[in-house]
Amino acid sequence: MPDDAAARDAAAPQNAAARAAMEEESAFSHPAVDPDTTAAYGDHPDQLIDFYAPRGERVPGGPAPLVVVLHGGAWRAPYDRRHISPFADFLARRGFAVASVEYRRGRAGVGSGSGVDSGAEGSGPVAGRWPDTFDDVAAALDALPGLVREALPQADSRRTVVTGHSAGGHLALWAAARHLLPADAPWRIDRPAPLRGVVALAPIADFTVADKLDVCGGAVRQLLGGDEEFAERRPYADPALLLPTGIATTLVQGRADLDVPQAVAESYADAAAKSGEVVGLTLLEDVGHFPLIDPAADACAVVAEEIAQLAW
């Protein structure tokens, strides 16, 4: 028996890695879903928002809640919004109006993503661009109400929920905390954004913990820079320092996530509690990183329900 137990322990990491690979393969097996329309919020090729109209049996009689989707991919160019388009379509088929945001990311040719580079240059930072990535998310959110009126008249912008996966989960939390940014931050707004809530999926939510765990191959350092830049920029970028937001927030996290371990989400939830804010944390057993955005996975249905609880 001891030998059997040792063998099981030795095999556990291999089994976990194999399951994670299968989950990623499933998530990326779905063909990209074309949006109903696309609008630009700036002049750069990556400053685009795809819009999906609500459809299916769950379409409400009146205006539909708006879900803003921020894709992940460690802020790296090989992952663009097309890899999350099946998830955006999944939400639209559940009766939501959906706005899927593209933004500038790190240079092409880095990372293991199955997305397609959508215009990022082949030189420059590896993960994200400072300050361009943040410029884009802020600009997209600011332009969204006007764009939605034209592109998705079925959407009710008064019932907006922002969601994002992995690095996109970081950006979703950050977008909801812009009113807490330092006074000299160009992205700061004077009051909380008019959001019903945030549902962050396996978010890179605490940069200190993510850095210690070397999440996504050091993506946090690649986003912010070396020691000096990391320290200087973190107050402008780390959601764990931008609390309490006053906006209803839920984190959805797989316990078996090898890409962004649950310790990152737990640290953010702890920081929120210390600030006097209650943040929901839904932990899913035997779920890794990618089922949260995989329409074929049960975890994706859980995500949709979490969004619905804030939106409807």
Side-chain angles (χ1 to χ4, degrees):
M1 290 297 294
D3 290 341
D4 291 341
R8 286 196 300 270
D9 291 343
Q14 294 180 348
N15 293 339
R19 181 173 62 182
M22 291 177 60
E23 289 175 342
E24 182 174 3
E25 182 180 2
S26 176
F28 284 99
S29 68
H30 307 286
V33 180
D34 291 334
D36 294 295
T37 187
T38 299
Y41 63 88
D43 296 330
H44 191 277
D46 281 335
Q47 292 175 327
L48 298 171
I49 302 176
D50 287 342
F51 293 100
Y52 297 80
R55 49 188 170 270
E57 297 179 358
R58 300 193 183 195
V59 175
L66 177 65
V67 181
V68 181
V69 175
L70 292 159
H71 71 80
W75 310 285
R76 292 174 178 146
Y79 289 91
D80 67 11
R81 71 194 186 283
R82 278 173 285 184
H83 85 267
I84 209 168
S85 64
F87 173 73
D89 176 67
F90 175 83
L91 295 177
R93 286 187 282 109
R94 285 180 167 251
F96 297 105
V98 181
S100 181
V101 177
E102 191 57 277
Y103 52 89
R104 282 173 284 182
R105 307 169 312 286
R107 59 181 164 87
V110 177
S112 60
S114 300
V116 180
D117 180 16
S118 60
E121 293 84 349
S123 62
V126 172
R129 303 183 187 188
W130 183 275
D132 299 350
T133 298
F134 298 89
D135 288 344
D136 287 358
V137 173
L141 270 292
D142 291 345
L144 195 59
L147 295 176
V148 166
R149 283 193 293 271
E150 295 291 328
L152 280 184
Q154 311 96 316
D156 183 356
S157 294
R158 296 169 301 176
R159 291 185 288 162
T160 297
V161 174
V162 179
T163 190
H165 178 241
S166 194
H170 156 260
L171 293 171
L173 295 170
W174 179 86
R178 290 169 59 199
H179 58 294
L180 300 176
L181 288 168
D184 62 342
W187 316 293
R188 182 182 168 91
I189 53 180
D190 294 334
R191 59 189 64 132
L195 302 175
R196 278 287 181 91
V198 176
V199 179
L201 314 176
I204 305 178
D206 185 312
F207 278 9
T208 298
V209 175
D211 183 46
K212 289 179 180 177
L213 295 176
D214 196 35
V215 164
C216 298
V220 169
R221 288 278 173 170
Q222 293 164 5
L223 174 67
L224 295 189
D227 290 346
E228 183 175 345
E229 292 171 322
F230 185 86
E232 289 178 354
R233 294 172 175 175
R234 187 171 158 246
Y236 298 83
D238 188 347
L241 299 181
L242 302 172
L243 291 162
T245 66
I247 294 172
T249 300
T250 297
L251 313 182
V252 184
Q253 175 73 45
R255 287 188 180 273
D257 193 330
L258 301 181
D259 295 274
V260 184
Q262 80 177 58
V264 181
E266 288 175 333
S267 182
Y268 177 86
D270 289 344
K274 290 175 182 176
S275 76
E277 187 162 76
V278 177
V279 167
L281 178 57
T282 299
L283 297 173
L284 303 180
E285 295 290 341
D286 299 321
V287 170
H289 194 60
F290 288 99
L292 302 178
I293 59 166
D294 182 356
D298 292 341
C300 199
V302 174
V303 168
E305 290 303 318
E306 294 285 1
I307 293 172
Q309 287 183 27
L310 296 179
W312 293 105

